[in-house]
Amino acid sequence: MYKYAGVIINSNSIQLDRLFTYEIPENLIEKIKVGSRVLVPFGLGNKKIDGFVIELYENVENIKRMKKIYSIFNEFPLLTQENLILIDQMKEKYLCTYMECIKTIIPSALFKGMKNKKEVLIFTGKLLDDKFDKEPYQSIYNIVKANNGKFTKTHLSKNFQVSLSSINTMLKHKFLIQQESIVNRYNDREYLSYEKKELNEEQKNAVNKILNCHEKKFLIHGVTGSGKTEIYMNLVQKMMDQGKESIILVPEISLTPQMVERFKGRFGKDITVFHSKLSDGERLDEWLRVKEGKVKVAIGARSAIFLPFENLGLIVIDEEHEGSYKSDSDPKYNAREIGEIKTELHNCKLVLGSATPSIETYYRCNNSEFELITLNNRADGANMPRIQIVDMREELANNNRSIFSKKLFEEIENRLNKKEQIILFLNRRGFSTFVSCRKCGYVFKCNNCDISLTYHNLGDSLICHYCGSRQKVPKLCPKCGSNYVKYFGVGTERVQEEIKKYFPQAKTLRMDFDTTRKKNSYEYIYNTFKEGKADILIGTQMIAKGLDFHNVTLVGVIAADLSLNLPDFRASERTFQLITQVSGRAGRGKKEGTVVVQTYNPESYSIISASDNNYLGFYNEEINLRNIMNYPPFSQIMLINMSSENEDLLIKNIQNVGIILKDILKNNDKIEILGPCPCEISKIKNNYRWQIIIKGDMELELKKYIRDRIYETLKEVYNHIRVSMDVNPLSLI
Ligand code: ADP
Ligand code: ZN
Ligand code: ZN
């Protein structure tokens, strides 16, 4: 019989990230399980605080003055045995705390005590008397009468512009009453059914290999349009036939209506859609539906990987190279890595898919950690689009100073005349500005790091955000001597303005971070374009993924240089991916597609291999460079980021940390320390940001030791400085 429990306290403090032993009172002995959420007394004042039971003991030493658990929250343990193993592995991988893991795995609504019940308004039938026979009471009366039991107070007030106090008055006078009702917040909109397709040979082989091969982990490398989605759906169906469940991950933004449309159309009510734009309540409902076994398939963004399926047979990660699988808050987990851990725990299949696999994953195929499946042909028989590279240096030489080359201009004109649709793509990420020569294309780079230098207005200087080296912006180009040395920047609004100027008759839509902030706005823009109500869609990388429009015959990449010159060792990889992905949007139907890629660096291997559809060629160049420069997958990177409102304090402390790290690693010639230096984005919301990069082969023990020494160094300034550590970051901005 277990009479004692090891409990993790719900606190953000790293010092409390350990088990505290409590006695279990008689009346709770039967109820408390490993994984239960409990209320306990804590600290000197015995403050009431919640926590999680992680271990149970029959006996413990030193039971004098042991505190007792007060009470238990839910009837069932919130954490499963599997969760606990996962948490242990996450703690090691991401150097994070128990509570950070728990909060990632369990919907936050459960912490807030939210339930899947709400108070709805019920119509009582009492007639409006003289005093109330006026607005806003009449409206409220009529709305509730027509929607009896459907709305809560807040819903009514928000959606029909009536004040809460008027509703309360109506309640007080018994025109309405409130009643508790179980809700399903999940989106039960009907979708058109999406019929099964006869698989082609390549698709059949892929399905058979995945199901019959004893290996567990697969990468499908298939050109855009090769019908990967149909393969996923086929696998999901096979899992269902065996009574097993599936998780399909798609990148956040590309949680497009399209993929959901297809899956809902095929699997109907057995599916849950899980992504970050759901409200806390909606997430809770979906989570509970899965927990209760009512769902067979989940399709969602990275957090869907944690859904509590018990009989998991398949995990699919579509567009596996995408950055949105990595979380940007602690723990900075990568859903791909969590997927691998779950694959072991459930002994299920893991299928990664992409037209442009990440260098790291492809490297692992070559090391036999993943089985490689290649799809070479488009499933609907369409041809791959023709990709043309335009050298923007020549445009300048020919006195064309617009952002459109002559070639792109003519193509746009041509499609507008033919009433075909156009996508203009701006592969801009973040706020980075690099400096280059417009005449010869020369880009200023750091000699130590092979990373583009970033322009800083202040002091007119160029900084390397890896190692911190700094120089003045030269007046003349060191390569050709011209004075066309300028920093580079263009946004989607600018593109839209130029279109208006040259093609006033064209209808444009803009899709970027600004225009898609609201719920459903993405879906709205997507549908408007799909229905042909606009001629040109202008957007950032969120339009590069997964969209399937049949009337698009021209894609223009406005400036490939924007991603090529990011201060990131993955800049070439990103550029290759973006160009390939966005090109895949052209010529999806019967008509042939054309892609125009504008650049000042037409010799770049990432642009050339993308335009030749040559993934392997690109991979071989890139893996070679990574090897020479000792970047992943040949090394690990640990990013230490510190931020504070107090810049002096921050700089002093990160320099201290730098000195300590140099001391720890002084006899280790396999590990390099870059920095400290200001981050690429050096200030966010009044917080200054600095970073240190550690690069090399690091054992777990060393990583932990580094973490602990950093925390120890910063003990005195915890309240003023935030520190975060990211093992294998996807971006170093
Ligand atoms: P991917 O995800 O690999 O880019 P999709 O799954 O979007 O490709 O498929 C591209 C197009 O081919 C879609 O319009 C899809 O309906 C169609 N398609 C897929 N499989 C088949 C098939 N076996 N026969 C005919 N058309 C198919
Ligand atoms: Zn030059
Ligand atoms: Zn450098």
Side-chain angles (χ1 to χ4, degrees):
M1 195 156 55
Y2 296 117
K3 286 167 129 173
Y4 306 94
V7 175
I8 281 290
I9 301 298
N10 183 2
S11 149
N12 290 331
S13 162
I14 178 111
Q15 277 106 337
L16 300 184
D17 184 37
R18 58 189 177 88
L19 296 184
F20 291 90
T21 310
Y22 284 87
E23 190 180 335
I24 304 175
E26 262 332 282
N27 62 328
L28 292 182
I29 284 186
E30 295 284 307
K31 289 189 183 152
I32 286 185
K33 307 253 158 40
V34 166
S36 296
R37 181 165 172 242
V38 291
L39 193 70
V40 297
F42 190 75
L44 284 178
N46 281 339
K47 216 175 102 196
K48 282 184 181 175
I49 190 166
D50 63 323
F52 286 84
V53 175
I54 303 293
E55 289 177 1
L56 289 172
Y57 320 107
E58 287 178 13
N59 285 305
V60 288
E61 286 166 22
N62 208 353
I63 49 174
K64 256 186 274 160
R65 297 173 55 212
M66 182 166 307
K67 294 179 185 176
K68 276 190 188 169
I69 292 178
Y70 285 136
S71 58
I72 177 168
F73 281 93
N74 307 66
E75 302 99 75
F76 58 94
L78 291 184
L79 297 169
T80 61
Q81 208 65 44
E82 183 220 317
N83 288 155
L84 292 172
I85 304 175
L86 180 63
I87 288 171
D88 274 337
Q89 299 203 23
M90 284 173 74
K91 273 172 56 86
E92 304 224 314
K93 228 179 168 75
Y94 306 113
L95 303 175
C96 58
T97 66
Y98 268 111
M99 257 347 268
E100 284 168 342
C101 295
I102 293 174
K103 288 187 169 165
T104 307
I105 291 178
I106 292 177
S108 63
L110 276 173
F111 283 95
K112 297 180 194 150
M114 206 183 228
K115 296 198 176 77
N116 57 339
K117 293 194 186 110
K118 63 179 176 182
E119 301 259 295
V120 292
L121 295 170
I122 305 281
F123 182 65
T124 58
K126 181 178 166 188
L127 293 176
L128 287 180
D129 49 34
D130 285 354
K131 212 171 124 217
F132 286 94
D133 203 2
K134 59 180 183 208
E135 289 303 335
Y137 305 114
Q138 284 167 341
S139 298
I140 297 176
Y141 190 86
N142 290 330
I143 296 166
V144 177
K145 191 173 168 186
N147 299 282
N148 202 14
K150 271 197 204 153
F151 297 148
T152 62
K153 278 200 298 191
T154 35
H155 182 97
L156 185 66
S157 136
K158 252 200 233 154
N159 290 279
F160 297 91
Q161 271 85 46
V162 290
S163 72
L164 270 180
S165 67
S166 324
I167 303 174
N168 283 335
T169 311
M170 303 277 288
L171 279 166
K172 202 168 124 207
H173 288 88
K174 302 265 176 329
F175 295 109
L176 319 169
I177 53 166
Q178 291 197 93
Q179 207 173 70
E180 194 168 74
S181 122
I182 296 211
V183 288
N184 277 316
R185 276 163 284 225
Y186 67 87
N187 178 2
D188 55 3
R189 207 175 102 188
E190 293 294 326
Y191 285 76
L192 294 176
S193 86
Y194 185 70
E195 64 195 67
K196 270 194 194 125
K197 297 211 160 56
E198 185 72 35
L199 296 190
N200 62 32
E201 279 309 302
E202 275 192 327
Q203 288 170 321
K204 262 188 221 153
N205 289 341
V207 169
N208 287 339
K209 183 160 179 187
I210 291 165
L211 292 177
N212 301 332
C213 165
H214 64 276
E215 303 290 342
K216 283 187 280 206
K217 299 191 259 181
F218 302 84
L219 169 67
I220 304 182
H221 174 210
V223 296
T224 50
S226 53
K228 293 185 284 293
T229 312
E230 201 61 39
I231 296 179
Y232 306 151
M233 286 193 286
N234 208 284
L235 290 169
V236 168
Q237 186 63 56
K238 297 266 162 51
M239 290 300 151
M240 279 167 120
D241 296 345
Q242 297 172 28
K244 288 186 185 165
E245 297 132 3
S246 311
I247 296 177
I248 316 296
L249 296 191
V250 292
E252 179 61 66
I253 302 298
S254 131
L255 196 89
T256 54
Q258 181 152 311
M259 192 79 155
V260 177
E261 237 170 56
R262 291 186 185 175
F263 269 84
K264 277 213 163 185
R266 184 76 53 90
F267 299 107
K269 293 227 179 311
D270 291 329
I271 199 167
T272 172
V273 181
F274 201 77
H275 57 90
S276 68
K277 291 205 173 151
L278 296 182
S279 68
D280 284 351
E282 287 169 329
R283 297 187 138 245
L284 176 63
D285 293 348
E286 295 301 322
W287 193 85
L288 288 171
R289 271 194 338 128
V290 172
K291 187 106 184 153
E292 288 158 11
K294 291 184 182 149
V295 174
K296 298 289 168 259
V297 195
I299 177 165
R302 63 171 179 259
S303 58
I305 195 72
F306 295 109
L307 282 170
F309 285 110
E310 274 177 17
N311 206 4
L312 201 59
L314 172 72
I315 299 172
V316 170
I317 305 186
D318 190 35
E319 312 281 9
E320 68 86 28
H321 60 278
E322 266 302 319
S324 59
Y325 289 124
K326 173 103 179 169
S327 168
D328 39 25
S329 50
D330 293 322
K332 298 199 170 64
Y333 72 89
N334 188 326
R336 205 166 71 191
E337 291 165 352
I338 304 292
E340 286 188 54
I341 300 175
K342 285 196 108 164
T343 301
E344 295 306 327
L345 291 176
H346 287 266
N347 196 19
C348 67
K349 301 279 182 183
L350 174 66
V351 177
L352 310 185
S354 176
T356 53
S358 62
I359 295 289
E360 276 113 319
T361 301
Y362 205 82
Y363 181 74
R364 294 179 66 192
C365 283
N366 284 348
N367 280 348
S368 309
E369 289 173 61
F370 277 78
E371 277 293 310
L372 178 65
I373 297 172
T374 310
L375 308 174
N376 290 314
N377 301 300
R378 280 194 158 177
D380 52 6
N383 289 322
M384 296 303 284
R386 234 164 10 110
I387 304 184
Q388 296 194 336
I389 304 174
V390 174
D391 185 345
M392 290 304 276
R393 297 170 303 188
E394 286 175 15
E395 299 295 317
L396 186 73
N398 294 330
N399 245 329
N400 174 7
R401 282 166 197 257
S402 108
I403 56 177
F404 304 125
S405 59
K406 185 156 172 285
K407 171 81 191 158
L408 183 56
F409 191 93
E410 286 169 2
E411 294 282 355
I412 293 175
E413 201 166 33
N414 171 290
R415 307 303 142 138
L416 287 175
N417 287 339
K418 287 203 273 186
K419 297 262 171 283
E420 292 171 2
Q421 287 175 299
I422 300 161
I423 290 179
L424 294 180
F425 174 62
L426 207 62
N427 46 335
R428 186 186 168 79
R429 256 171 205 263
F431 319 89
S432 155
T433 39
F434 61 96
V435 174
S436 65
C437 168
R438 298 299 161 85
K439 186 136 185 252
C440 75
Y442 179 84
V443 175
F444 292 88
K445 288 195 169 185
C446 172
N447 294 334
N448 308 324
C449 311
D450 195 36
I451 294 300
S452 300
L453 297 168
T454 303
Y455 176 73
H456 279 252
N457 228 335
L458 215 69
D460 206 25
S461 53
L462 290 169
I463 301 179
C464 169
H465 283 287
Y466 280 20
C467 69
S469 76
R470 184 188 280 261
Q471 64 182 81
K472 276 241 172 252
V473 181
K475 292 272 177 298
L476 300 178
C477 169
K479 197 172 149 203
C480 75
S482 89
N483 58 1
Y484 283 110
V485 173
K486 263 170 73 180
Y487 63 86
F488 204 99
V490 51
T492 45
E493 279 168 355
R494 167 90 193 281
V495 179
Q496 198 172 24
E497 277 163 26
E498 294 236 345
I499 288 285
K500 272 212 185 92
K501 192 164 118 199
Y502 297 117
F503 307 101
Q505 78 283 13
K507 285 201 203 76
T508 59
L509 277 173
R510 194 156 61 87
M511 187 183 290
D512 54 27
F513 181 72
D514 290 331
T515 60
T516 53
R517 234 173 289 181
K518 277 202 214 124
K519 199 168 171 175
N520 298 334
S521 53
Y522 185 86
E523 194 166 356
Y524 171 78
I525 299 173
Y526 166 83
N527 284 328
T528 311
F529 194 62
K530 184 168 184 173
E531 288 158 15
K533 291 183 194 150
D535 307 298
I536 306 181
L537 177 62
I538 301 164
T540 52
Q541 50 274 3
M542 64 179 70
I543 63 174
K545 292 165 229 158
L547 300 182
D548 197 358
F549 301 114
H550 283 244
N551 196 33
V552 173
T553 55
L554 173 65
V555 168
V557 179
I558 301 294
D561 310 77
L562 282 172
S563 56
L564 197 57
N565 296 312
L566 276 178
D568 191 329
F569 71 87
R570 290 192 180 86
S572 297
E573 182 179 358
R574 295 263 180 273
T575 305
F576 179 85
Q577 288 165 349
L578 285 169
I579 294 178
T580 308
Q581 298 283 342
V582 78
S583 305
R585 306 307 123 221
R588 285 231 151 189
K590 303 258 175 316
K591 299 170 201 152
E592 202 188 331
T594 299
V595 180
V596 176
V597 179
Q598 304 190 147
T599 177
Y600 289 89
N601 279 283
E603 322 71 24
S604 143
Y605 63 91
S606 54
I607 294 178
I608 293 177
S609 3
S611 63
D612 291 344
N613 246 308
N614 182 2
Y615 177 83
L616 260 181
F618 169 73
Y619 172 81
N620 288 332
E621 288 266 356
E622 180 69 13
I623 200 81
N624 205 4
L625 257 179
R626 297 274 181 98
N627 196 355
I628 293 169
M629 295 302 297
N630 197 29
Y631 282 123
F634 300 97
S635 67
Q636 290 182 50
I637 284 184
M638 185 165 160
L639 177 68
I640 296 158
N641 179 298
M642 287 169 53
S643 62
S644 171
E645 290 195 355
N646 183 336
E647 192 177 17
D648 293 337
L649 190 76
L650 175 68
I651 295 175
K652 196 175 122 219
N653 278 283
I654 198 159
Q655 273 164 352
N656 266 344
V657 168
I659 292 166
I660 284 161
L661 289 176
K662 288 202 172 105
D663 188 54
I664 296 175
L665 299 169
K666 65 174 179 269
N667 295 323
N668 194 327
D669 56 1
K670 290 211 188 77
I671 298 179
E672 273 177 84
I673 300 172
L674 304 176
C677 62
C679 300
E680 161 77 22
I681 303 171
S682 57
K683 195 177 175 190
I684 295 180
K685 288 188 198 147
N686 282 328
N687 275 286
Y688 295 90
R689 306 170 74 235
W690 278 60
Q691 69 185 24
I692 298 175
I693 294 168
I694 308 176
K695 187 174 109 179
D697 233 338
M698 283 167 272
E699 302 282 319
L700 176 63
E701 285 313 310
L702 178 62
K703 283 189 271 193
K704 278 191 187 161
Y705 181 68
I706 288 176
R707 174 193 65 181
D708 293 346
R709 286 293 302 274
I710 292 175
Y711 281 130
E712 195 191 303
T713 315
L714 300 176
K715 213 161 53 194
E716 308 286 305
V717 287
Y718 263 159
N719 295 336
H720 306 284
I721 293 182
R722 237 190 76 81
V723 57
S724 88
M725 279 168 244
D726 190 347
V727 184
N728 295 330
L730 281 190
S731 146
L732 297 172
I733 294 178

